[in-house]
Structures are given as structure tokens and as C-alpha cells.
Amino acid sequence: MSAMVTIGEFSRLTHVSVKALRHYHEIGLLPPSEVDPVTGYRRYAVTQVSTAQLIRRLRQLDMPLPGVFAVVAAPDAPARDAAIRDHLLRMEAELDRTRGVVAALRSLLEPADGPLHLDHRRIGDLTALTLRQVVSRADIGAWCSEAFARLYTEAAAARVEPIGPAGATYDAAFFEEDAGAVLVYVPVPPSTPATSGLAPQPVPGGLFVVGVHSGPFTDFDRTYAAVGSHVAEHDTALPDPIREIYLAGPPEIEDPDDFRTEVCWPISA
Amino acid sequence: MSAMVTIGEFSRLTHVSVKALRHYHEIGLLPPSEVDPVTGYRRYAVTQVSTAQLIRRLRQLDMPLPGVFAVVAAPDAPARDAAIRDHLLRMEAELDRTRGVVAALRSLLEPADGPLHLDHRRIGDLTALTLRQVVSRADIGAWCSEAFARLYTEAAAARVEPIGPAGATYDAAFFEEDAGAVLVYVPVPPSTPATSGLAPQPVPGGLFVVGVHSGPFTDFDRTYAAVGSHVAEHDTALPDPIREIYLAGPPEIEDPDDFRTEVCWPISA
DNA sequence: TTGCTCCTCACGTCACGTGAGGTGGC
DNA sequence: TTGCTCCTCACGTCACGTGAGGTGGC
């Protein structure tokens, strides 16, 4: 039988606040060893200290409570360590993103590189292998790389060569609500047969104002601003999806500074 | 006169969601250039794009809205850049803390280094230069280093040598509510005269269970758990403040792995 | 005219923190 | 007995997101 302590003493032992301990009880994450049925007083066993310490560390790393729950309830050490490693990987990715944003912030505060060159262009109707899904902005990078990998695999399976650069179209909701329908496509000859998973689809064209974005995707809003401002001042924007055409990007190009992407804003004739 | 756009188009231009734009209007951070008095429709000027981009970047870096407000309203570039640099410094500090927590998490998952050596000790009443304030856990490091710097300056001004290691006492609320009264002290001879700012104060002693914590402060909860668990199992804890005695620490010791701190848990005789 | 965009509430999210008001334990 | 600890609501925080229900603009 291990010693029992009050919630206050358990808090001093573990450095977890009393309010947090009550919360963890309420959600079932760390129920006290005993609860007095008449007074409601919580009593914790000293053996619960290590669990509380683990929870505290994970929360200090901003792991969401459902994740903490999974770690604490993990059946064995490998499962537990995998859940923790997962979170540390997500934190690394977050850190990378933050580095990118800091760089983007600096570039925003420096004087601009001169006006962006803009073109009017009529893009014809295409035939393409496509994937379409509602995607949130946070997931867009991962989803796109997975989707393009799938499209190129399908193209190889159908023994066709892409006949132009890959692209994607973004519904207005993707920008306005931070989540919306995204369609990625790889253009193929109209004669391409359906593969096991994918039939070629038409991708309708139209008239666009086009600007080339050079550099990492973190910076995208600058080119969007340039293209969109030009449209607002000189053309009539259409509510159609905005198109991006990936002239140079991952996985072939490794350095984000070398990425080149066309941003195509649909306008009326 | 710059072109005006609807909230939806402004959202596509800036990559700030419509909901966020309405929120920024509501709090006065980014009011639209015009609001139709009858329909309530917002109209943004294209010249507002750069402000929106700046706000977006700062929010991506988790700068709180009051801080964003300060940056956007900054009277000139130096003031603005200083506010941003400030936030980047805070982010660096956060990152340091995170690194520490990750290390602490690893050490928690590794097998323990064997049981901690614990002593019973009667600490006598002291005379000391002291500072006392309610401090939150988040601020404790910064506050302590400032407070000790002040105490040593005062001791030098009074021409007295400290006659023992410095320490601090922490009220229960510091642990139970993540904020509570902390008293830092530097022991001096009882004959020490009052200086301009500080009169020597008595620091009452008592009976304690004492364990030595070796390593960075991030790890403190492990030693607290060991000392406190021992007390729970073998002694009667008192509600008095817990005392830490800084045998080796900053600023003299640089490597956190070399820090040594006594954790003293008050018990009844 | 139709459907799309925009509007304003009101409420939800996440992980607790902040009191208020009251009772039990030593 | 007194004061301290503990209890349970109910509501607040932060920066928006999520619908509901309705209207304006092309």
C-alpha cells in the first residue's frame, strides 16, 4: 500500500496545479486513487506521481490532451514512445514552418524587389489525371505532395507522359474559410485510357492574369497580392477557382528558393 | 484613389480568412476602408493589402493581437522593428525552454539513476537580506535572477559578505495555483545595518527533509517528487513554504548540468 | 429572376483560470 | 473553536470557427 496524499500535496509533489488536477480527473485522464464518497475529497497515491509528471511534460510541449491520453494509456513502452516521437516530429515540422515565416516576415519588411511581371494569358481546356478534395490550409502541403505522387504513379501505370506542367485549382473557400476544394492535375494526352483508379478528366481553361512566384510557398501571399491587386485595378475578377501551375518545385527541386510557380487569376474577357 | 474590393476578394488577395477579417474589423485592428451604411457591406482598399499581410505573418508567429496592434500602429519603422524583434526574442526563449523540456522528457522515460539520498536537517533561524513578491511560475526564472542581483548589490553596498548560500521559499500557492508568494534571501550577519533600500529580516528555520537536485531547473519536479514522496510515506508534512537552497547555480555556474540545489520539505518534529 | 455573396447574432473550441459560495478536517 | 483546505458550480480567456437565419447585388 503506497501512501495517499491530498490534492494540494499531490500538486506540490508533481508541480501540476490543483485546477489542472481536477480537470484531469473530470476528463478521466488522471483519476485520484480514491474519492471520499461523502465529502468528495480526492486522495492520490504516491505511485501516481510518475504519471502526473509525464502528463506535465507532455503538456509543456503543447501536446493536446487526447494525445496525452493516448500516451498515458499506451499498452507498452514501444507504443508510448512512438506516440511521443510522433509529437516531437510534429514539433520539428512546426519549427521549420516558423523559420519559414520569420524569413517571410523579414522579406516583407525589406523594400520590395520591384514590380512583378504580369501577363494576360488564355489557357486552353486540358485533359488530365486529377484528384479533388476539400483540404484545409494547414494540410495543403502534405496533401498535395501525396496527391501528385499518386497522379504520377497512375500516369506511369497507364504508360503516358505528362504533356505539360502539373497544376492545381483552389476554390474561393480555400482562402476565405481556410479550407476548401482543391483539385490537383497532371495534363495527359486526350487519348489516355482510364487506369485502374483514375479516368482522365477535362480541366476547363479560361482567361487569366498570370504572375510567376519565385521562392518558397510561405511567401505565396505576396504574389497573390500583386496579381490580385492588378486584377482589382484593371480587370474584372471571376469567382472561378484560382490556378497554380508548378513550373519548378518539389520533389525535383530541393531548394525552396528555386521554386517557380505561376499564379493564375481568372478574369472575364 | 486605389481600387476597392469586397471582403471575399480581399481575403483571396491576402490569404486572411473572411472570419478573421471581420474579427479584425470588430476589434479595430484593420477596419475596412469603407462600410456601406445601409447594407453593412465592407469594402477594402487595395492599399490595405500590405497591412493585412503583416498581420497575417505576425499571427502565424503566434504574436498576441495586442502585440500585433502595437506593431501595426507603430509610429515609425524603428518602433515597429523593435516590437517585432521583441517577439522573436520571446520565441527564441520559448524554443530554449522547449529544448529543455524535451531533454527532461527523455530523462523521465529512461530508467531512474537510483534513489536520491535524503537527509533530515534542522535549519536554524537566519538573518538575511530578502525580497518577497507574488510570482507566477512562468516568470520565476527571470524574477529570481533579477532579485538576487539586487540582493547582492545591496550586500555589497552594506559592505557585508553573505555568510551562507542563498535560498528561496515558495508558498504552497506557487505550486497549487501556478503563482504564489516567493521570498528570496541572502544570509548576512545579524549585525548587518539596514541599507538604503533593505533592512535585514529574520528567516525562521525548522525541520526539513532535504534532497539535492543536480541539473537544470526544468527537471526540478523529479527531485520534488522524490523528497515529497518520502515525506508522504515517512513523515508529517507541514503547510509551510518549501525552501530551495542554491548551492551551485547561475550566474557563477554556466552549465545547467552542474547546478546543485537543495530542496527542503518542511516536516513536523 | 436566380444563386451567390455578404450580413449579424449566438454559440462552440481548448485547457484550464477565476472567483463565488459553501463545507469538511485538524 | 478557528482558520485552512477542499468542494462544486458558473463564467471567463483567446482568436477566431461554426452554423443559423436572413438580406443585398449582379
Side-chain angles (χ1 to χ4, degrees), chain A residues 62-243:
Chain A
D62 287 323
M63 182 185 280
L65 282 178
V68 175
F69 212 104
V71 172
V72 169
D76 49 29
R80 186 195 63 185
D81 294 352
I84 292 175
R85 234 190 326 276
D86 242 47
H87 181 67
L88 292 181
L89 282 177
R90 271 196 299 280
M91 286 185 58
E92 292 275 6
E94 252 304 286
L95 195 59
D96 263 7
R97 194 196 64 110
T98 299
R99 271 192 276 267
V101 174
V102 170
L105 179 59
R106 282 194 216 290
S107 83
L108 198 65
L109 295 178
E110 283 160 14
D113 322 331
L116 188 68
H117 176 74
L118 299 177
D119 272 332
H120 283 63
R121 186 191 308 170
R122 177 166 299 281
I123 297 178
D125 298 343
L126 298 172
T127 299
L129 298 181
T130 68
L131 284 170
R132 182 185 160 88
Q133 194 173 311
V134 172
V135 185
S136 75
R137 193 188 283 282
D139 302 333
I140 189 64
W143 184 79
C144 277
S145 64
E146 207 174 313
F148 278 121
R150 167 116 190 264
L151 289 181
Y152 283 112
T153 304
E154 295 281 350
R159 295 172 194 285
V160 291
E161 284 290 314
I163 59 168
T169 73
Y170 296 83
D171 275 22
F174 180 77
F175 305 102
E176 297 179 15
E177 295 160 37
D178 274 350
V182 178
L183 177 140
V184 293
Y185 69 83
V186 172
V188 291
S191 58
T192 303
T195 66
S196 56
L198 289 175
Q201 304 285 332
V203 176
L207 190 60
F208 295 85
V209 171
V210 180
V212 175
H213 176 78
S214 297
F217 299 144
T218 331
D219 256 348
F220 247 145
D221 54 346
R222 301 190 73 182
T223 301
Y224 269 71
V227 177
S229 298
H230 177 94
V231 169
E233 280 161 357
H234 304 103
D235 301 282
T236 304
L238 288 180
D240 295 349
I242 289 173
R243 185 181 300 212

Side-chain angles (χ1 to χ4, degrees), chain B residues 181-251:
Chain B
V182 178
L183 176 140
V184 293
Y185 70 83
V186 172
V188 291
S191 58
T192 303
T195 67
S196 57
L198 289 175
Q201 305 285 331
V203 175
L207 189 60
F208 296 86
V209 172
V210 180
V212 175
H213 176 79
S214 297
F217 299 144
T218 333
D219 257 348
F220 247 145
D221 53 347
R222 301 190 72 182
T223 301
Y224 269 72
V227 178
S229 298
H230 177 94
V231 168
E233 280 160 0
H234 303 104
D235 301 282
T236 303
L238 288 180
D240 295 348
I242 290 173
R243 185 182 300 212
E244 295 177 1
I245 299 177
Y246 305 107
L247 300 181

Side-chain angles (χ1 to χ4, degrees), chain B residues 17-100:
Chain B
S17 79
V18 168
K19 292 287 184 179
L21 287 172
R22 286 205 266 256
H23 187 60
Y24 298 156
H25 179 197
E26 195 170 1
I27 64 173
L29 174 60
L30 183 65
S33 187
E34 285 175 26
V35 179
D36 186 308
V38 47
T39 66
Y41 274 38
R42 296 166 176 86
R43 307 228 99 213
Y44 292 85
V46 168
T47 50
Q48 296 185 280
V49 166
S50 58
T51 305
Q53 286 181 324
L54 179 58
I55 293 170
R56 179 170 118 96
R57 292 285 154 73
L58 298 174
R59 286 297 304 134
Q60 287 180 320
L61 297 176
D62 288 324
M63 181 185 280
L65 282 177
V68 175
F69 212 104
V71 171
V72 169
D76 49 29
R80 187 195 62 185
D81 295 353
I84 292 174
R85 233 191 325 276
D86 242 46
H87 182 66
L88 292 181
L89 283 177
R90 270 195 301 280
M91 286 185 58
E92 292 276 6
E94 251 306 284
L95 196 58
D96 263 7
R97 193 197 64 111
T98 299
R99 271 191 277 268

